[in-house]
Amino acid sequence: MKKTIMNKLLASMATRTLKEMFLYLLILPAFLNVACSFIGSLLINSTPENSMLIKDFLGAGYPPLVYVMFVILTCLAVPFIEEVVFRKWLWAFVNKFLNTKHTLWLTSVAFAFLHGGWYGLVLLPFALYLGYIRKEYGSFKFSTVPHVVFNTTGVLLTLGGI
């Protein structure tokens, strides 16, 4: 019985090409970050204070370990924790009462708007994308990869002054 389930799982993964997975899990999230950042900058009044906070943090002269920990938390730990909370635990709870399509929408809206105000509206397309990946691949583990890429792209854009 277990071999049959494993064979079905391997067969379904084989239908997804490496190129398709590369696009969905690595390229598209980086593009979504750039697009969301651009749209956000148009919709939200980006004040000079926000840029100054980042510049002050980077120029504060903290030990390198502080900056390394910031990057690790922002790029790895936060996406993993958010995916566990929203696309594992909340998804499983909501999916007991609603179908998968509604579960995808509800968990995505919750994820986006818990990030705060207008930024939640800008983040909603990405949240829906993560929900789609969770639905299509059947596990929060797959939505964690694009989330890490999205956050890493954001850190790189910020460090690059964009």
Side-chain angles (χ1 to χ4, degrees), residues 9 24 35 56 75-76 86 133 148 155:
L9 178 63
Y24 283 161
D56 288 346
C75 297
L76 297 175
F86 288 96
I133 293 295
V148 166
V155 166

Side-chain angles (χ1 to χ4, degrees), residues 1-160:
M1 178 78 178
K2 283 188 179 184
K3 278 206 176 240
T4 308
I5 293 170
M6 183 57 85
N7 289 340
K8 287 181 182 179
L9 178 63
L10 290 173
S12 72
M13 289 303 292
T15 62
R16 300 197 187 276
T17 65
L18 187 59
K19 187 178 181 181
E20 178 185 344
M21 291 181 75
F22 183 75
L23 173 67
Y24 283 161
L25 301 180
L26 300 176
I27 301 299
L28 201 51
F31 172 78
L32 282 170
N33 188 299
V34 172
C36 288
S37 297
F38 178 74
I39 292 167
S41 69
L42 294 176
L43 294 175
I44 302 166
N45 182 17
S46 183
T47 61
E49 291 107 27
N50 291 342
S51 298
M52 287 307 297
L53 287 172
I54 294 166
K55 287 179 183 175
D56 288 346
F57 173 70
L58 293 174
Y62 292 115
L65 184 60
V66 171
Y67 297 111
V68 169
M69 291 304 298
F70 171 76
V71 170
I72 289 171
L73 287 171
T74 304
C75 297
L76 297 175
V78 169
F80 178 76
I81 292 166
E82 288 180 344
E83 290 306 306
V84 167
V85 170
F86 288 96
R87 270 157 287 283
K88 183 179 182 190
W89 296 339
L90 185 61
W91 185 286
F93 177 75
V94 172
N95 209 33
K96 290 179 184 178
F97 306 102
L98 301 174
N99 65 32
T100 305
K101 181 180 174 183
H102 291 111
T103 299
L104 187 157
W105 275 92
L106 186 69
T107 57
S108 297
V109 168
F111 173 84
F113 286 97
L114 284 175
H115 280 78
W118 283 100
Y119 185 67
L121 182 63
V122 172
L123 200 58
L124 185 57
F126 179 65
L128 289 166
Y129 175 73
L130 290 175
Y132 169 79
I133 293 295
R134 163 61 176 90
K135 178 180 150 297
E136 284 298 306
Y137 288 88
S139 172
F140 81 97
K141 294 172 187 172
F142 288 99
S143 60
T144 302
V145 174
H147 198 154
V148 166
V149 171
F150 185 90
N151 282 23
T152 302
T153 303
V155 166
L156 293 174
L157 288 173
T158 301
L159 292 175

